[in-house]
Amino acid sequence: MHDTVLFDYWRSSASYRLRIALNLAEIDYRSVTVDLVKGEHKTPEHLARNPQGFVPVLEIDGLRMTQSLAILDYLDQTRELGLLPKDPAARVQAQALAHAIAVDLHPVCNLQVAKHATQLSGGAEGMPGNWMVHFIRPGLQAFETLLGAYDKSPYCTGEAPGLADICLMPQLYNARRWGADISDMPRILAVEAACATHPAFAKAHPDAVNTSG
């Protein structure tokens, strides 16, 4: 029996982040699927875990945690993952990269937001894909520019994966899923290539964990 349980959905960006971090920390965990498409995140059972009705939820160290960025900070501090630099100036820059994805870009491309936009549009042709691309490409273009300060690093901010990489890779999965063009973003593509060969990232990829067939 695993002491650590991740309430997860394979295509959830926030859940993907935690899978990466758990793998980086070499924490063995049990995954419990909360199917967002079937609405399982709105069931009384899941709302008892997280009143917001979101995934992921992580049970670890006798605690039940929500909000991926908060959980990532906990894992970083308790497992010494080194996801952020110690120097305050470097740390704030790395956090800004991560937040550009997780705080600004990801929320407007959340499944329930995109579904609501589709409903408001009367099911307009191309929705929700047009909605996704409208936000994803400009958000990643800005991220590409921000990465310019780290143009010699294999990962976003250094020689090892950090918080920004953990936030970026799920968003790139979404970009490719919805057809957002990232072919003119060489730094992002280089980081993606580095992360793709890292076992912790490869094991966390949605295609590696999807058991729905």
Side-chain angles (χ1 to χ4, degrees), residues 20-199:
I20 296 168
L22 289 167
N23 293 340
L24 286 171
E26 299 183 345
I27 296 172
D28 194 20
Y29 66 93
R30 177 168 62 93
S31 178
V32 175
T33 297
V34 179
D35 194 319
L36 303 184
V37 176
K38 294 180 180 178
E40 292 178 357
H41 55 304
K42 298 300 184 181
T43 62
E45 182 180 13
H46 189 68
L47 290 173
R49 300 183 196 110
N50 181 0
Q52 289 182 289
F54 296 150
V55 290
V57 175
L58 183 67
E59 293 182 351
I60 189 172
D61 301 339
L63 302 170
R64 176 178 286 171
M65 304 180 188
T66 63
Q67 289 293 338
S68 66
L69 290 182
I71 301 171
L72 289 168
D73 183 61
Y74 176 85
L75 293 174
D76 192 23
Q77 293 192 61
T78 59
R79 270 62 177 186
E80 298 181 353
L81 298 181
L83 299 183
L84 288 168
K86 297 296 184 183
D87 174 71
R91 184 181 181 92
V92 73
Q93 296 299 326
Q95 283 180 312
L97 279 169
H99 289 189
I101 299 290
V103 177
D104 294 329
L105 180 52
H106 170 239
V108 293
C109 294
N110 182 276
L111 177 62
Q112 67 177 357
V113 173
K115 286 176 69 175
H116 186 59
T118 301
Q119 291 171 354
L120 290 176
S121 73
E125 184 178 355
M127 291 289 282
N130 290 344
W131 175 272
M132 297 294 196
V133 173
H134 175 79
F135 289 104
I136 290 174
R137 178 167 166 77
L140 290 178
Q141 284 177 313
F143 191 92
E144 172 80 5
T145 301
L146 291 169
L147 278 181
Y150 306 94
D151 60 350
K152 295 182 180 180
S153 303
Y155 297 98
C156 282
T157 59
E159 297 296 320
L163 184 63
D165 305 280
I166 289 174
C167 292
L168 175 63
M169 287 301 284
Q171 195 59 59
L172 293 183
Y173 172 82
N174 288 334
R176 296 190 182 283
R177 178 187 176 194
W178 295 108
D181 182 17
I182 59 172
S183 62
D184 57 346
M185 304 178 195
R187 273 294 290 129
I188 283 178
L189 292 173
V191 170
E192 181 184 38
C195 290
T197 62
H198 194 295

